[in-house]
């Protein structure tokens, strides 16, 4: 379970995007995807002969409809935001909005600076109904600019999801799970990626308890407090898998673990005693 996202200075804006949509995003069918750098398709004079970064906003028909409508399950298309690099404001001065049905509209994007020097770039007042999707938002590149100038690698963030569950036939320790450690293989590797893991969630609970160590080359997630579930055949179970999600800035999990797998150890205690089953997590 991997997805490419954009993010920026987490300390400045830890809850980007600033929306009030459902925490359970499975009921939000509005999606956006990058469709490549292309010659601008718009017939507007200001776009002829320019290159554009094309983004498509669409409705995903595979998203289930909840029994009771929610804020996001009924939402239309109002705006789109990106986290962009420090050169974005100079490289993107105009955008053209092209709905599936209806006329093209030219807009000037707004840029909100962040303390890190990046920008939140946004195109607002789209006001499209779902029936008008897909909507293409084309960012016109100024001469000499490329994708990397607008969205540098330092602003690319990968979202990682790890499912934590009980192995079949193995009883859950009564105290549950306290922490998870990943082996980063060397102190130099720890130093390279220290602070790259951000915005962790255990279930629907946010946690900032992420620590990098060099004496032991690990990154660890602590205070997980995943309890054991009900008894079955005399054994305590974790009744359902619990999802640990987090973001890695500027790298993939394969980069951080230097290979196709991460070694992990799960602990029932806050120190290095107790039950600590280990294994491998695929990085792709």
């Amino acid at each position: 379970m991997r997805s490419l996202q954009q993010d920026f200075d987490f300390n400045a804006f830890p809850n980007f995007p600033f929306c009030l949509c459902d925490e359970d995003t499975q009921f939000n069918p509005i999606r956006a995807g990058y469709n490549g750098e292309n010659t601008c398709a718009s017939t507007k004079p200001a776009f002829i002969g320019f290159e554009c970064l094309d983004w498509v906003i669409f409705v995903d028909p595979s998203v289930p409809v909840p029994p009771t409508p929610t804020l996001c399950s009924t939402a239309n298309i109002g705006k789109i935001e990106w986290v962009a690099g420090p050169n974005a404001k100079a490289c993107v001065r105009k955008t053209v909005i092209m709905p599936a049905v209806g006329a093209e509209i030219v807009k000037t994007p707004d840029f909100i600076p962040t303390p890190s020097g990046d920008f939140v770039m946004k195109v607002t007042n789209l006001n499209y109904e779902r029936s008008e999707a897909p909507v293409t938002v084309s960012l016109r590149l100024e001469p000499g600019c490329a994708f990397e100038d607008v969205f540098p690698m330092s602003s690319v963030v990968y979202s990682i999801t790890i499912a934590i569950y009980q192995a079949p036939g193995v009883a859950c320790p009564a105290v549950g799970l306290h922490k998870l450690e990943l082996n980063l293989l060397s102190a130099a590797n720890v130093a390279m990626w220290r602070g790259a893991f951000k915005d962790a969630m255990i279930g629907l609970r946010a946690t900032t308890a992420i620590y990098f160590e060099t004496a032991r080359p690990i990154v660890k997630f602590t205070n997980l407090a995943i309890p054991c579930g009900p008894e079955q055949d005399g054994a305590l179970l974790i009744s359902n898998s619990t999802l640990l999600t987090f973001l890695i800035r500027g790298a993939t999990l394969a980069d951080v673990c230097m290979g196709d797998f991460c070694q992990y150890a799960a602990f029932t205690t806050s120190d290095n005693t107790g039950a600590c089953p280990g294994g491998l997590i695929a990085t792709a």
Side-chain angles (χ1 to χ4, degrees), residues 121-157:
M121 177 173 62
K122 59 184 179 179
V123 179
T124 62
N125 298 321
L126 298 181
N127 299 323
Y128 290 110
E129 302 290 330
R130 294 187 186 192
S131 59
E132 297 174 279
V135 176
T136 298
V137 180
S138 292
L139 310 178
R140 191 191 75 178
L141 289 173
E142 294 301 307
C145 291
F147 177 92
E148 292 77 14
D149 297 306
V150 182
F151 303 108
M153 185 61 190
S154 62
S155 69
V156 173
V157 168

Side-chain angles (χ1 to χ4, degrees), residues 5-9 16 53 55 81-92 109-114 116-122 139 146-156 249:
Q5 300 184 357
Q6 296 291 329
D7 211 286
F8 57 112
D9 187 336
F16 179 88
L53 304 180
W55 295 78
E81 297 184 356
W82 302 263
V83 174
N87 296 321
K89 190 172 184 179
C91 285
V92 180
D110 296 316
F111 293 87
I112 301 174
T114 75
S116 65
D118 294 330
F119 287 100
V120 175
M121 177 173 62
K122 59 184 179 179
L139 310 178
F147 177 92
E148 292 77 14
D149 297 306
V150 182
F151 303 108
M153 185 61 190
S154 62
S155 69
V156 173
R249 183 174 184 175

Side-chain angles (χ1 to χ4, degrees), residues 4 21 33 40 59 76 79-80 83 96 102 123 140 151 167 170 188 197 207 209 211 219 228 236 245-246 259 275:
L4 178 64
C21 289
C40 296
V59 177
N76 289 309
K79 67 175 178 176
I80 181 170
V83 174
V96 62
V123 179
R140 191 191 75 178
F151 303 108
V170 180
F197 287 23
T207 176
Y211 303 99
V219 58
C228 292
L236 286 170
T245 63
F246 57 96

Side-chain angles (χ1 to χ4, degrees), residues 37-250:
E37 180 177 336
N38 308 290
T39 300
C40 296
S42 174
T43 58
K44 297 285 186 182
F47 288 80
I48 295 175
F50 284 85
E51 290 291 299
C52 280
L53 304 180
D54 293 331
W55 295 78
V56 179
I57 306 173
F58 60 96
V59 177
D60 185 350
S62 69
V63 176
V65 177
T68 302
T70 64
L71 181 65
C72 275
S73 73
T74 57
N76 289 309
I77 301 170
K79 67 175 178 176
I80 181 170
E81 297 184 356
W82 302 263
V83 174
N87 296 321
K89 190 172 184 179
C91 285
V92 180
R93 295 177 179 173
K94 289 185 179 296
T95 64
V96 62
I97 318 302
M98 296 179 286
V101 179
E104 300 176 3
I105 299 174
V106 175
K107 288 182 174 288
T108 300
D110 296 316
F111 293 87
I112 301 174
T114 75
S116 65
D118 294 330
F119 287 100
V120 175
M121 177 173 62
K122 59 184 179 179
V123 179
T124 62
N125 298 321
L126 298 181
N127 299 323
Y128 290 110
E129 302 290 330
R130 294 187 186 192
S131 59
E132 297 174 279
V135 176
T136 298
V137 180
S138 292
L139 310 178
R140 191 191 75 178
L141 289 173
E142 294 301 307
C145 291
F147 177 92
E148 292 77 14
D149 297 306
V150 182
F151 303 108
M153 185 61 190
S154 62
S155 69
V156 173
V157 168
Y158 289 84
S159 177
I160 308 299
T161 300
I162 297 173
I164 300 172
Y165 58 93
Q166 179 193 359
V170 180
C172 176
V175 293
L177 182 66
H178 180 81
K179 69 174 176 174
L180 181 72
E181 295 185 354
L182 302 181
N183 183 7
L184 301 191
L185 301 178
S186 72
N189 200 39
V190 171
M192 178 178 294
W193 301 116
R194 184 184 298 277
F197 287 23
K198 299 288 185 180
D199 285 12
M201 298 282 292
I202 183 66
L204 294 178
R205 174 172 57 86
T207 176
T208 59
I210 309 172
Y211 303 99
F212 289 77
E213 294 186 8
T214 52
R216 297 182 303 128
I218 62 163
V219 58
K220 62 183 179 181
F221 300 83
T222 66
N223 299 326
L224 297 180
I226 300 176
C228 292
E231 283 194 11
Q232 180 176 310
D233 297 328
L236 286 170
L237 304 176
I238 295 178
S239 54
N240 294 299
S241 64
T242 298
L243 298 183
L244 170 65
T245 63
F246 57 96
L247 303 178
I248 306 178
R249 183 174 184 175

Side-chain angles (χ1 to χ4, degrees), residues 247-270:
L247 303 178
I248 306 178
R249 183 174 184 175
T252 66
L253 191 59
D255 294 330
V256 175
C257 291
M258 297 192 292
D260 296 332
F261 297 92
C262 276
Q263 290 183 306
Y264 77 85
F267 290 84
T268 58
T269 63
S270 60

